[in-house]
Amino acid sequence: MNRVIHTGQALVDLVVEVGTIPRRGGNVMAQSFTRYAGGSVSVLAAAARSGARAVHAGAHGTGPNGDLVRAALAAEGVGLSAPPVGDADTAVCVVLVEPSAERTFVTTLGAERQITVEGLGLSAPVAGDLVCVTGYSLLEPTRDPLLQWLESLVPGVAVVLDPGAAFASLEAPVRDRMLALTDVWTSNAEEAHELTGLAELTSTLPRIAESLPAGALVIVRDGPEGCHLLADGRVEHLPGYPQEPVDTNGAGDAHTGVLVAELAAGTDPQTACTRANAAGAIKVTRRGPATAPTAAEIDAFLAAAHS
């Protein structure tokens, strides 16, 4: 079975529900506070729940945060290929969630940034495996070892890029180097607009594809509207399933995790996107970042939606 291997940061999310974001220098009282394993953990959990053999190839720390990450991955049956970093703990991401389910992030840096070519190589990807990359890994100090390792992968390993908000602001040579390695681009609409400078959403997909290897897939999420897919030179819209959201944190990760799990299993891109859209719709009705549905839950949701 092909594997889903994630190179990105496994973090601990400190999720704080607030009535409103405080003004600069101000203060608000929180309605709740919860500590979750997040970041790449959310993508890997979603992939595992859709049946993928999933592996975390990035760095993880020693200490309570690293312990939480390892426990969360173990609970999902996700493997870790690299040993813990001995002298640093995994960092945290503070997530402020408003009643609208909109979220604001403040991310710190820790052991997850201490990746090496050798450490990534312990995941030993082979042809058919999917290697997931986040644009936040293209910042220093993770950028150079990651790109060096990606450029050494054997033929047939598919590289999946979730660019994140960081990608469009990177220096052009770094962006171009990463795009030349990317077999699957999956982003939200804002990230696609920012990279291309185009206002019309469907126009962004072929523009992005111009920078990717021949035959690459381009997926652009559009919130509750679903996603757009470019495959075989054609752009199509896969409709979403709008829900009343309670927490959008991790919805994109759920979409990506299910998407790559389906692609690893050989599912056609259209079906993979439809199932990913359903996963995102289910996720926004649940609190917490790593709360993606199982394959059976997606099956039931789609059966009800199309009945």
Side-chain angles (χ1 to χ4, degrees):
M1 184 185 297
N2 300 328
R3 295 178 298 161
V4 171
I5 300 169
H6 208 303
T7 61
Q9 294 75 50
L11 296 164
V12 168
D13 284 353
L14 305 180
V15 180
V16 183
E17 291 189 278
V18 295
T20 184
I21 300 296
R23 62 174 176 79
R24 185 179 183 186
N27 181 38
V28 298
M29 303 299 289
Q31 279 77 58
S32 70
F33 167 78
T34 315
R35 184 169 169 263
Y36 301 95
S40 61
V41 175
S42 301
V43 178
L44 289 163
R49 292 174 191 177
S50 277
R53 289 176 58 208
V55 177
H56 181 245
H60 48 104
T62 49
N65 293 335
D67 290 344
L68 179 58
V69 165
R70 284 183 288 275
L73 292 174
E76 302 292 344
V78 177
L80 295 102
S81 57
V85 176
D87 58 354
D89 200 2
T90 293
V92 301
C93 178
V94 179
V95 185
L96 302 179
V97 183
E98 299 174 76
S100 65
E102 188 56 75
R103 64 269 192 273
T104 303
F105 303 98
V106 180
T107 304
T108 65
L109 306 179
E112 74 289 339
R113 287 287 171 179
Q114 297 188 32
I115 63 169
T116 64
V117 174
E118 295 74 20
L120 292 169
L122 294 173
S123 62
V126 299
D129 288 345
L130 278 72
V131 171
C132 299
V133 175
T134 168
Y136 294 102
S137 294
L138 298 170
L139 303 171
E140 295 183 356
T142 46
R143 179 192 64 201
D144 293 340
L146 174 63
L147 286 171
Q148 182 181 339
W149 179 71
L150 291 174
E151 289 170 342
S152 73
L153 294 177
V154 300
V157 176
V159 176
V160 180
L161 174 63
D162 183 347
F167 191 78
S169 62
L170 297 173
E171 295 180 356
V174 175
R175 294 200 310 266
D176 293 343
R177 191 175 169 189
M178 183 67 233
L179 292 171
L181 298 166
T182 299
D183 301 291
V184 180
W185 164 287
T186 177
S187 75
N188 63 31
E190 182 178 359
E191 292 155 359
H193 288 308
E194 289 181 349
L195 179 67
T196 63
L198 299 176
E200 203 277 312
L201 184 58
T202 57
S203 299
T204 66
L205 285 84
R207 178 65 61 84
I208 292 167
E210 291 173 2
S211 300
L212 306 182
L217 300 177
V218 180
I219 297 97
V220 176
R221 303 184 299 275
D222 192 19
E225 300 304 314
C227 68
H228 289 80
L229 165 70
L230 184 149
D232 299 322
R234 184 169 67 94
V235 176
E236 58 185 305
H237 177 241
L238 286 308
Y241 305 92
Q243 307 291 309
E244 188 67 33
V246 298
D247 183 2
T248 60
N249 184 27
D253 292 337
H255 192 284
T256 298
V258 171
L259 174 74
V260 295
E262 294 293 339
L263 294 176
T267 305
D268 66 88
Q270 291 79 10
T271 302
C273 285
T274 295
R275 294 184 66 82
N277 287 347
I282 297 168
K283 161 62 201 79
V284 300
T285 66
R286 300 173 173 179
R287 298 188 186 277
T291 51
T294 64
E297 289 173 324
I298 295 172
D299 290 341
F301 179 91
L302 289 173
H306 295 290
S307 62

